[in-house]
Amino acid sequence: MLSTAVSKYELETRSRTNSIQSKVALVLHSVATSNKKQQVITMHNIDDNQLSKGKVINSKQVTRMVSGKGGYFDRAQSAKPLCSSLIDERVIAENDNDVVFYTPPSKRTLWYSTTKNTNFSILSPGLFFHFKKSTKSIRVFCYLNRKKPKLDTMLYLPPMLNIDRKGSLCTGTMRLPKTWSNAGIDLIISNFFDSRFTHSNMKTASGIPTIYTDDEANMAYMAALEESERKMKAGELVEFKTIAAYLENADD
């Protein structure tokens, strides 16, 4: 599934009496967050004396490895666990085809082109993006706390036009990364907010509040948020899944 990537290091292992071939390396990282420092262990296959992309593992997995549990390395090398990234602190998980990242709450301007062109400056909740690198498709959800989202953070359907009941975004003319790099995060976020919100993608959804299903109701809701300068409330929004539940079945 989703794995980390770190810099490559050249390795050389020699022995005077025996031929030793190194297959796997463990790297201990010190990761600084906004509140504290923590240590993260990544496991890397060694190919041509260089470290490959790493996968985050925990201390129990390390214990199993050094205790000689049979077949662990083969299973570990074939597994592709979902794990946190060390590249950009906004990246929650990543693999060869998917990247999941977030942007924190902030004041944003939404540009609308429905019956008329207008815009709303609101206190946007934090947004959670899932970008598929091969198909260039995007799913978007929101969360309501100000801190960095955790695995138990609840995701909600954003009450914004152009997004359907599974979070899929109609990208329209948005500029999207041709090849993935960290710069793709800022490109997607800026183009999301700079794009035009033109239509509801939930018009036929039953049991969904009208702020999702009706363009005029949505615009009235955004206008009220702008005038009152208040945040969105959980009671107004439709719950989707926790981040942990989403990452377990991200293709559903």
Side-chain angles (χ1 to χ4, degrees):
M1 294 175 68
L2 307 188
S3 59
T4 63
V6 299
S7 301
K8 291 185 177 181
Y9 300 84
E10 291 191 0
L11 302 177
E12 185 174 1
T13 303
R14 292 180 179 177
S15 172
R16 292 183 178 180
T17 57
N18 298 298
S19 175
I20 300 175
Q21 183 179 6
S22 299
K23 294 183 176 180
V24 175
L26 302 183
V27 179
L28 181 64
H29 307 264
S30 178
V31 181
T33 65
S34 56
N35 297 323
K36 61 181 180 179
K37 286 187 177 181
Q38 60 182 0
Q39 291 182 327
V40 176
I41 303 171
T42 55
M43 184 182 73
H44 307 256
N45 294 334
I46 300 174
D47 300 314
D48 296 327
N49 287 332
Q50 291 188 325
L51 297 188
S52 65
K53 290 183 178 180
K55 294 187 279 270
V56 172
I57 61 175
N58 58 41
S59 57
K60 291 183 179 180
Q61 291 172 301
V62 175
T63 301
R64 290 176 59 198
M65 292 170 66
V66 299
S67 65
K69 298 291 184 181
Y72 180 83
F73 285 102
D74 291 336
R75 293 195 302 274
Q77 290 178 34
S78 62
K80 295 182 178 179
L82 188 66
C83 53
S84 300
S85 171
L86 302 176
I87 300 174
D88 187 303
E89 64 176 9
R90 294 171 295 178
V91 175
I92 296 172
E94 184 177 9
N95 66 15
D96 290 341
N97 190 52
D98 304 79
V99 59
V100 174
F101 59 92
Y102 76 97
T103 186
S106 63
K107 190 165 186 178
R108 298 282 192 175
T109 298
L110 304 181
W111 301 92
Y112 273 58
S113 293
T114 52
T115 55
K116 60 180 180 179
N117 293 332
T118 187
N119 63 80
F120 304 100
S121 294
I122 66 167
L123 296 174
S124 171
L127 295 181
F128 172 102
F129 292 86
H130 177 188
F131 177 66
K132 284 194 166 294
K133 303 171 188 176
S134 59
T135 61
K136 306 293 188 276
S137 61
I138 300 176
R139 297 177 78 178
V140 188
F141 303 93
C142 63
Y143 64 94
L144 298 181
N145 54 302
R146 293 197 61 81
K147 296 181 179 179
K148 179 177 180 177
K150 300 179 180 179
L151 290 177
D152 61 356
T153 297
M154 177 59 67
L155 298 176
Y156 298 84
L157 293 177
M160 301 171 183
L161 304 185
N162 300 4
I163 300 172
D164 71 14
R165 64 188 308 167
K166 289 188 176 182
S168 295
L169 174 67
C170 179
T171 55
T173 59
M174 278 181 62
R175 289 179 55 230
L176 299 174
K178 294 182 179 179
T179 57
W180 183 255
S181 69
N182 284 341
I185 295 175
D186 291 318
L187 179 65
I188 290 173
I189 293 171
S190 63
N191 275 271
F192 174 79
F193 285 108
D194 289 342
S195 65
R196 291 280 175 173
F197 294 89
T198 59
H199 60 284
S200 170
N201 274 355
M202 299 191 201
K203 291 185 182 297
T204 59
S206 60
I208 302 292
T210 56
I211 61 171
Y212 290 94
T213 61
D214 181 81
D215 295 355
E216 292 298 325
N218 185 275
M219 293 175 68
Y221 175 68
M222 293 298 173
L225 290 179
E226 180 180 53
E227 183 177 2
S228 63
E229 297 185 344
R230 71 170 179 84
K231 303 174 185 176
M232 295 178 185
K233 299 177 182 178
E236 302 166 342
L237 307 183
V238 176
E239 287 188 0
F240 191 73
K241 297 177 181 180
T242 64
I243 290 179
Y246 179 80
L247 294 180
E248 287 177 2
N249 298 282
D251 290 326
D252 290 352

PDB file of all heavy atoms in Angstrom, residues 122-150:
ATOM      1  N   ILE A 122     -14.264  32.651   3.690  1.00  0.00           N
ATOM      2  CA  ILE A 122     -14.743  31.902   4.854  1.00  0.00           C
ATOM      3  C   ILE A 122     -13.570  31.329   5.642  1.00  0.00           C
ATOM      4  O   ILE A 122     -12.440  31.274   5.153  1.00  0.00           O
ATOM      5  CB  ILE A 122     -15.684  30.753   4.434  1.00  0.00           C
ATOM      6  CG1 ILE A 122     -14.885  29.695   3.637  1.00  0.00           C
ATOM      7  CG2 ILE A 122     -16.857  31.277   3.613  1.00  0.00           C
ATOM      8  CD1 ILE A 122     -15.629  28.392   3.453  1.00  0.00           C
ATOM      9  N   LEU A 123     -13.876  30.895   6.854  1.00  0.00           N
ATOM     10  CA  LEU A 123     -12.902  30.141   7.646  1.00  0.00           C
ATOM     11  C   LEU A 123     -13.012  28.689   7.209  1.00  0.00           C
ATOM     12  O   LEU A 123     -13.887  27.947   7.674  1.00  0.00           O
ATOM     13  CB  LEU A 123     -13.194  30.305   9.136  1.00  0.00           C
ATOM     14  CG  LEU A 123     -13.046  31.721   9.696  1.00  0.00           C
ATOM     15  CD1 LEU A 123     -13.503  31.779  11.157  1.00  0.00           C
ATOM     16  CD2 LEU A 123     -11.590  32.179   9.592  1.00  0.00           C
ATOM     17  N   SER A 124     -12.158  28.286   6.289  1.00  0.00           N
ATOM     18  CA  SER A 124     -12.225  26.919   5.749  1.00  0.00           C
ATOM     19  C   SER A 124     -11.742  25.920   6.792  1.00  0.00           C
ATOM     20  O   SER A 124     -10.749  26.164   7.484  1.00  0.00           O
ATOM     21  CB  SER A 124     -11.360  26.806   4.490  1.00  0.00           C
ATOM     22  OG  SER A 124     -11.241  25.453   4.078  1.00  0.00           O
ATOM     23  N   PRO A 125     -12.430  24.794   6.927  1.00  0.00           N
ATOM     24  CA  PRO A 125     -11.894  23.727   7.780  1.00  0.00           C
ATOM     25  C   PRO A 125     -10.636  23.137   7.157  1.00  0.00           C
ATOM     26  O   PRO A 125     -10.289  23.432   6.010  1.00  0.00           O
ATOM     27  CB  PRO A 125     -13.040  22.707   7.808  1.00  0.00           C
ATOM     28  CG  PRO A 125     -13.738  22.909   6.505  1.00  0.00           C
ATOM     29  CD  PRO A 125     -13.650  24.391   6.225  1.00  0.00           C
ATOM     30  N   GLY A 126      -9.938  22.301   7.906  1.00  0.00           N
ATOM     31  CA  GLY A 126      -8.821  21.575   7.327  1.00  0.00           C
ATOM     32  C   GLY A 126      -9.318  20.647   6.233  1.00  0.00           C
ATOM     33  O   GLY A 126     -10.423  20.109   6.316  1.00  0.00           O
ATOM     34  N   LEU A 127      -8.520  20.475   5.197  1.00  0.00           N
ATOM     35  CA  LEU A 127      -8.904  19.610   4.087  1.00  0.00           C
ATOM     36  C   LEU A 127      -7.935  18.437   3.959  1.00  0.00           C
ATOM     37  O   LEU A 127      -6.734  18.570   4.185  1.00  0.00           O
ATOM     38  CB  LEU A 127      -8.946  20.393   2.778  1.00  0.00           C
ATOM     39  CG  LEU A 127     -10.008  21.502   2.682  1.00  0.00           C
ATOM     40  CD1 LEU A 127      -9.943  22.178   1.318  1.00  0.00           C
ATOM     41  CD2 LEU A 127     -11.403  20.958   2.936  1.00  0.00           C
ATOM     42  N   PHE A 128      -8.482  17.305   3.580  1.00  0.00           N
ATOM     43  CA  PHE A 128      -7.770  16.033   3.436  1.00  0.00           C
ATOM     44  C   PHE A 128      -7.886  15.631   1.976  1.00  0.00           C
ATOM     45  O   PHE A 128      -8.988  15.464   1.463  1.00  0.00           O
ATOM     46  CB  PHE A 128      -8.436  15.026   4.382  1.00  0.00           C
ATOM     47  CG  PHE A 128      -7.984  13.594   4.255  1.00  0.00           C
ATOM     48  CD1 PHE A 128      -7.085  13.055   5.170  1.00  0.00           C
ATOM     49  CD2 PHE A 128      -8.511  12.754   3.274  1.00  0.00           C
ATOM     50  CE1 PHE A 128      -6.707  11.713   5.095  1.00  0.00           C
ATOM     51  CE2 PHE A 128      -8.131  11.422   3.190  1.00  0.00           C
ATOM     52  CZ  PHE A 128      -7.223  10.908   4.105  1.00  0.00           C
ATOM     53  N   PHE A 129      -6.752  15.519   1.285  1.00  0.00           N
ATOM     54  CA  PHE A 129      -6.738  15.225  -0.153  1.00  0.00           C
ATOM     55  C   PHE A 129      -6.173  13.822  -0.406  1.00  0.00           C
ATOM     56  O   PHE A 129      -5.185  13.422   0.217  1.00  0.00           O
ATOM     57  CB  PHE A 129      -5.863  16.215  -0.908  1.00  0.00           C
ATOM     58  CG  PHE A 129      -6.390  17.622  -0.950  1.00  0.00           C
ATOM     59  CD1 PHE A 129      -6.121  18.503   0.080  1.00  0.00           C
ATOM     60  CD2 PHE A 129      -7.145  18.072  -2.028  1.00  0.00           C
ATOM     61  CE1 PHE A 129      -6.594  19.812   0.044  1.00  0.00           C
ATOM     62  CE2 PHE A 129      -7.621  19.374  -2.082  1.00  0.00           C
ATOM     63  CZ  PHE A 129      -7.352  20.240  -1.040  1.00  0.00           C
ATOM     64  N   HIS A 130      -6.775  13.106  -1.349  1.00  0.00           N
ATOM     65  CA  HIS A 130      -6.244  11.831  -1.845  1.00  0.00           C
ATOM     66  C   HIS A 130      -6.069  11.978  -3.357  1.00  0.00           C
ATOM     67  O   HIS A 130      -7.045  12.080  -4.095  1.00  0.00           O
ATOM     68  CB  HIS A 130      -7.209  10.692  -1.514  1.00  0.00           C
ATOM     69  CG  HIS A 130      -6.768   9.360  -2.059  1.00  0.00           C
ATOM     70  ND1 HIS A 130      -7.567   8.236  -2.013  1.00  0.00           N
ATOM     71  CD2 HIS A 130      -5.610   8.958  -2.662  1.00  0.00           C
ATOM     72  CE1 HIS A 130      -6.936   7.215  -2.570  1.00  0.00           C
ATOM     73  NE2 HIS A 130      -5.745   7.630  -2.982  1.00  0.00           N
ATOM     74  N   PHE A 131      -4.807  12.008  -3.804  1.00  0.00           N
ATOM     75  CA  PHE A 131      -4.490  12.192  -5.224  1.00  0.00           C
ATOM     76  C   PHE A 131      -3.963  10.897  -5.804  1.00  0.00           C
ATOM     77  O   PHE A 131      -3.041  10.289  -5.256  1.00  0.00           O
ATOM     78  CB  PHE A 131      -3.447  13.294  -5.385  1.00  0.00           C
ATOM     79  CG  PHE A 131      -2.998  13.526  -6.805  1.00  0.00           C
ATOM     80  CD1 PHE A 131      -3.875  14.013  -7.757  1.00  0.00           C
ATOM     81  CD2 PHE A 131      -1.688  13.259  -7.185  1.00  0.00           C
ATOM     82  CE1 PHE A 131      -3.468  14.232  -9.074  1.00  0.00           C
ATOM     83  CE2 PHE A 131      -1.263  13.473  -8.488  1.00  0.00           C
ATOM     84  CZ  PHE A 131      -2.158  13.961  -9.435  1.00  0.00           C
ATOM     85  N   LYS A 132      -4.567  10.454  -6.907  1.00  0.00           N
ATOM     86  CA  LYS A 132      -4.082   9.270  -7.626  1.00  0.00           C
ATOM     87  C   LYS A 132      -3.168   9.744  -8.754  1.00  0.00           C
ATOM     88  O   LYS A 132      -3.602  10.457  -9.653  1.00  0.00           O
ATOM     89  CB  LYS A 132      -5.245   8.441  -8.163  1.00  0.00           C
ATOM     90  CG  LYS A 132      -5.941   7.632  -7.079  1.00  0.00           C
ATOM     91  CD  LYS A 132      -6.854   6.579  -7.683  1.00  0.00           C
ATOM     92  CE  LYS A 132      -7.282   5.570  -6.636  1.00  0.00           C
ATOM     93  NZ  LYS A 132      -6.159   4.751  -6.132  1.00  0.00           N
ATOM     94  N   LYS A 133      -1.903   9.329  -8.683  1.00  0.00           N
ATOM     95  CA  LYS A 133      -0.893   9.843  -9.601  1.00  0.00           C
ATOM     96  C   LYS A 133      -1.130   9.401 -11.046  1.00  0.00           C
ATOM     97  O   LYS A 133      -0.826  10.150 -11.978  1.00  0.00           O
ATOM     98  CB  LYS A 133       0.497   9.389  -9.139  1.00  0.00           C
ATOM     99  CG  LYS A 133       0.836   9.804  -7.711  1.00  0.00           C
ATOM    100  CD  LYS A 133       2.126   9.148  -7.235  1.00  0.00           C
ATOM    101  CE  LYS A 133       2.377   9.400  -5.774  1.00  0.00           C
ATOM    102  NZ  LYS A 133       3.571   8.699  -5.267  1.00  0.00           N
ATOM    103  N   SER A 134      -1.659   8.194 -11.253  1.00  0.00           N
ATOM    104  CA  SER A 134      -1.807   7.680 -12.616  1.00  0.00           C
ATOM    105  C   SER A 134      -3.033   8.273 -13.307  1.00  0.00           C
ATOM    106  O   SER A 134      -2.967   8.675 -14.474  1.00  0.00           O
ATOM    107  CB  SER A 134      -1.900   6.154 -12.608  1.00  0.00           C
ATOM    108  OG  SER A 134      -3.005   5.724 -11.823  1.00  0.00           O
ATOM    109  N   THR A 135      -4.161   8.340 -12.609  1.00  0.00           N
ATOM    110  CA  THR A 135      -5.400   8.827 -13.224  1.00  0.00           C
ATOM    111  C   THR A 135      -5.617  10.325 -13.011  1.00  0.00           C
ATOM    112  O   THR A 135      -6.525  10.910 -13.605  1.00  0.00           O
ATOM    113  CB  THR A 135      -6.611   8.078 -12.643  1.00  0.00           C
ATOM    114  OG1 THR A 135      -6.679   8.325 -11.224  1.00  0.00           O
ATOM    115  CG2 THR A 135      -6.485   6.582 -12.893  1.00  0.00           C
ATOM    116  N   LYS A 136      -4.785  10.943 -12.151  1.00  0.00           N
ATOM    117  CA  LYS A 136      -4.906  12.370 -11.829  1.00  0.00           C
ATOM    118  C   LYS A 136      -6.270  12.708 -11.215  1.00  0.00           C
ATOM    119  O   LYS A 136      -6.788  13.807 -11.373  1.00  0.00           O
ATOM    120  CB  LYS A 136      -4.694  13.236 -13.081  1.00  0.00           C
ATOM    121  CG  LYS A 136      -3.381  12.957 -13.813  1.00  0.00           C
ATOM    122  CD  LYS A 136      -2.198  13.371 -12.970  1.00  0.00           C
ATOM    123  CE  LYS A 136      -0.883  13.305 -13.731  1.00  0.00           C
ATOM    124  NZ  LYS A 136      -0.274  11.997 -13.762  1.00  0.00           N
ATOM    125  N   SER A 137      -6.857  11.756 -10.516  1.00  0.00           N
ATOM    126  CA  SER A 137      -8.134  12.001  -9.851  1.00  0.00           C
ATOM    127  C   SER A 137      -7.887  12.413  -8.399  1.00  0.00           C
ATOM    128  O   SER A 137      -6.861  12.068  -7.801  1.00  0.00           O
ATOM    129  CB  SER A 137      -9.021  10.757  -9.905  1.00  0.00           C
ATOM    130  OG  SER A 137      -8.386   9.673  -9.240  1.00  0.00           O
ATOM    131  N   ILE A 138      -8.841  13.157  -7.833  1.00  0.00           N
ATOM    132  CA  ILE A 138      -8.693  13.697  -6.483  1.00  0.00           C
ATOM    133  C   ILE A 138      -9.966  13.439  -5.688  1.00  0.00           C
ATOM    134  O   ILE A 138     -11.077  13.613  -6.197  1.00  0.00           O
ATOM    135  CB  ILE A 138      -8.435  15.221  -6.515  1.00  0.00           C
ATOM    136  CG1 ILE A 138      -7.158  15.534  -7.298  1.00  0.00           C
ATOM    137  CG2 ILE A 138      -8.329  15.785  -5.093  1.00  0.00           C
ATOM    138  CD1 ILE A 138      -6.889  17.021  -7.450  1.00  0.00           C
ATOM    139  N   ARG A 139      -9.798  13.029  -4.448  1.00  0.00           N
ATOM    140  CA  ARG A 139     -10.899  12.979  -3.493  1.00  0.00           C
ATOM    141  C   ARG A 139     -10.569  13.970  -2.385  1.00  0.00           C
ATOM    142  O   ARG A 139      -9.408  14.104  -1.982  1.00  0.00           O
ATOM    143  CB  ARG A 139     -11.089  11.573  -2.946  1.00  0.00           C
ATOM    144  CG  ARG A 139     -11.468  10.567  -4.018  1.00  0.00           C
ATOM    145  CD  ARG A 139     -11.579   9.154  -3.479  1.00  0.00           C
ATOM    146  NE  ARG A 139     -12.823   8.939  -2.780  1.00  0.00           N
ATOM    147  CZ  ARG A 139     -13.177   7.762  -2.250  1.00  0.00           C
ATOM    148  NH1 ARG A 139     -12.354   6.727  -2.346  1.00  0.00           N
ATOM    149  NH2 ARG A 139     -14.329   7.630  -1.627  1.00  0.00           N
ATOM    150  N   VAL A 140     -11.587  14.676  -1.896  1.00  0.00           N
ATOM    151  CA  VAL A 140     -11.397  15.727  -0.902  1.00  0.00           C
ATOM    152  C   VAL A 140     -12.379  15.539   0.244  1.00  0.00           C
ATOM    153  O   VAL A 140     -13.584  15.302  -0.002  1.00  0.00           O
ATOM    154  CB  VAL A 140     -11.594  17.132  -1.502  1.00  0.00           C
ATOM    155  CG1 VAL A 140     -11.205  18.205  -0.480  1.00  0.00           C
ATOM    156  CG2 VAL A 140     -10.809  17.304  -2.785  1.00  0.00           C
ATOM    157  N   PHE A 141     -11.891  15.641   1.469  1.00  0.00           N
ATOM    158  CA  PHE A 141     -12.728  15.606   2.657  1.00  0.00           C
ATOM    159  C   PHE A 141     -12.274  16.739   3.576  1.00  0.00           C
ATOM    160  O   PHE A 141     -11.219  17.343   3.357  1.00  0.00           O
ATOM    161  CB  PHE A 141     -12.615  14.258   3.365  1.00  0.00           C
ATOM    162  CG  PHE A 141     -12.957  13.086   2.487  1.00  0.00           C
ATOM    163  CD1 PHE A 141     -11.975  12.414   1.775  1.00  0.00           C
ATOM    164  CD2 PHE A 141     -14.272  12.679   2.336  1.00  0.00           C
ATOM    165  CE1 PHE A 141     -12.281  11.354   0.941  1.00  0.00           C
ATOM    166  CE2 PHE A 141     -14.606  11.621   1.507  1.00  0.00           C
ATOM    167  CZ  PHE A 141     -13.603  10.957   0.810  1.00  0.00           C
ATOM    168  N   CYS A 142     -13.062  17.026   4.595  1.00  0.00           N
ATOM    169  CA  CYS A 142     -12.644  18.053   5.548  1.00  0.00           C
ATOM    170  C   CYS A 142     -12.641  17.478   6.957  1.00  0.00           C
ATOM    171  O   CYS A 142     -13.271  16.454   7.234  1.00  0.00           O
ATOM    172  CB  CYS A 142     -13.532  19.291   5.456  1.00  0.00           C
ATOM    173  SG  CYS A 142     -15.267  19.043   5.859  1.00  0.00           S
ATOM    174  N   TYR A 143     -11.906  18.128   7.838  1.00  0.00           N
ATOM    175  CA  TYR A 143     -11.894  17.774   9.267  1.00  0.00           C
ATOM    176  C   TYR A 143     -11.985  19.071  10.047  1.00  0.00           C
ATOM    177  O   TYR A 143     -11.661  20.152   9.540  1.00  0.00           O
ATOM    178  CB  TYR A 143     -10.635  16.973   9.613  1.00  0.00           C
ATOM    179  CG  TYR A 143      -9.339  17.721   9.451  1.00  0.00           C
ATOM    180  CD1 TYR A 143      -8.743  18.378  10.523  1.00  0.00           C
ATOM    181  CD2 TYR A 143      -8.693  17.785   8.208  1.00  0.00           C
ATOM    182  CE1 TYR A 143      -7.546  19.087  10.364  1.00  0.00           C
ATOM    183  CE2 TYR A 143      -7.512  18.483   8.048  1.00  0.00           C
ATOM    184  CZ  TYR A 143      -6.943  19.116   9.128  1.00  0.00           C
ATOM    185  OH  TYR A 143      -5.774  19.819   8.969  1.00  0.00           O
ATOM    186  N   LEU A 144     -12.411  19.003  11.321  1.00  0.00           N
ATOM    187  CA  LEU A 144     -12.797  20.214  12.029  1.00  0.00           C
ATOM    188  C   LEU A 144     -11.834  20.668  13.115  1.00  0.00           C
ATOM    189  O   LEU A 144     -11.952  21.801  13.580  1.00  0.00           O
ATOM    190  CB  LEU A 144     -14.201  20.036  12.631  1.00  0.00           C
ATOM    191  CG  LEU A 144     -15.313  19.802  11.599  1.00  0.00           C
ATOM    192  CD1 LEU A 144     -16.658  19.661  12.299  1.00  0.00           C
ATOM    193  CD2 LEU A 144     -15.365  20.936  10.581  1.00  0.00           C
ATOM    194  N   ASN A 145     -10.901  19.824  13.555  1.00  0.00           N
ATOM    195  CA  ASN A 145      -9.965  20.285  14.581  1.00  0.00           C
ATOM    196  C   ASN A 145      -8.811  21.050  13.946  1.00  0.00           C
ATOM    197  O   ASN A 145      -8.543  20.922  12.750  1.00  0.00           O
ATOM    198  CB  ASN A 145      -9.430  19.101  15.395  1.00  0.00           C
ATOM    199  CG  ASN A 145      -8.829  18.025  14.520  1.00  0.00           C
ATOM    200  OD1 ASN A 145      -9.493  17.480  13.653  1.00  0.00           O
ATOM    201  ND2 ASN A 145      -7.562  17.722  14.722  1.00  0.00           N
ATOM    202  N   ARG A 146      -8.123  21.862  14.740  1.00  0.00           N
ATOM    203  CA  ARG A 146      -7.056  22.708  14.209  1.00  0.00           C
ATOM    204  C   ARG A 146      -5.706  21.989  14.166  1.00  0.00           C
ATOM    205  O   ARG A 146      -4.810  22.395  13.429  1.00  0.00           O
ATOM    206  CB  ARG A 146      -6.928  23.982  15.060  1.00  0.00           C
ATOM    207  CG  ARG A 146      -8.133  24.899  14.951  1.00  0.00           C
ATOM    208  CD  ARG A 146      -7.800  26.282  15.448  1.00  0.00           C
ATOM    209  NE  ARG A 146      -6.724  26.897  14.676  1.00  0.00           N
ATOM    210  CZ  ARG A 146      -6.886  27.501  13.503  1.00  0.00           C
ATOM    211  NH1 ARG A 146      -8.084  27.570  12.959  1.00  0.00           N
ATOM    212  NH2 ARG A 146      -5.862  28.050  12.876  1.00  0.00           N
ATOM    213  N   LYS A 147      -5.538  20.952  14.967  1.00  0.00           N
ATOM    214  CA  LYS A 147      -4.256  20.266  15.016  1.00  0.00           C
ATOM    215  C   LYS A 147      -4.087  19.339  13.813  1.00  0.00           C
ATOM    216  O   LYS A 147      -5.041  19.071  13.079  1.00  0.00           O
ATOM    217  CB  LYS A 147      -4.139  19.465  16.311  1.00  0.00           C
ATOM    218  CG  LYS A 147      -4.148  20.328  17.562  1.00  0.00           C
ATOM    219  CD  LYS A 147      -4.003  19.474  18.803  1.00  0.00           C
ATOM    220  CE  LYS A 147      -3.986  20.328  20.065  1.00  0.00           C
ATOM    221  NZ  LYS A 147      -3.858  19.512  21.296  1.00  0.00           N
ATOM    222  N   LYS A 148      -2.866  18.862  13.626  1.00  0.00           N
ATOM    223  CA  LYS A 148      -2.602  17.909  12.550  1.00  0.00           C
ATOM    224  C   LYS A 148      -3.514  16.704  12.704  1.00  0.00           C
ATOM    225  O   LYS A 148      -3.637  16.140  13.795  1.00  0.00           O
ATOM    226  CB  LYS A 148      -1.134  17.469  12.591  1.00  0.00           C
ATOM    227  CG  LYS A 148      -0.779  16.458  11.504  1.00  0.00           C
ATOM    228  CD  LYS A 148       0.697  16.104  11.551  1.00  0.00           C
ATOM    229  CE  LYS A 148       1.043  15.086  10.463  1.00  0.00           C
ATOM    230  NZ  LYS A 148       2.480  14.760  10.432  1.00  0.00           N
ATOM    231  N   PRO A 149      -4.205  16.300  11.640  1.00  0.00           N
ATOM    232  CA  PRO A 149      -5.128  15.164  11.764  1.00  0.00           C
ATOM    233  C   PRO A 149      -4.399  13.881  12.140  1.00  0.00           C
ATOM    234  O   PRO A 149      -3.271  13.636  11.724  1.00  0.00           O
ATOM    235  CB  PRO A 149      -5.751  15.070  10.365  1.00  0.00           C
ATOM    236  CG  PRO A 149      -4.791  15.764   9.457  1.00  0.00           C
ATOM    237  CD  PRO A 149      -4.155  16.846  10.277  1.00  0.00           C
ATOM    238  N   LYS A 150      -5.079  13.071  12.959  1.00  0.00           N
ATOM    239  CA  LYS A 150      -4.557  11.782  13.386  1.00  0.00           C
ATOM    240  C   LYS A 150      -5.408  10.674  12.780  1.00  0.00           C
ATOM    241  O   LYS A 150      -6.421  10.933  12.121  1.00  0.00           O
ATOM    242  CB  LYS A 150      -4.564  11.693  14.914  1.00  0.00           C
ATOM    243  CG  LYS A 150      -3.722  12.764  15.598  1.00  0.00           C
ATOM    244  CD  LYS A 150      -3.796  12.627  17.114  1.00  0.00           C
ATOM    245  CE  LYS A 150      -2.966  13.700  17.811  1.00  0.00           C
ATOM    246  NZ  LYS A 150      -3.050  13.590  19.291  1.00  0.00           N
TER     247      LYS A 150
END
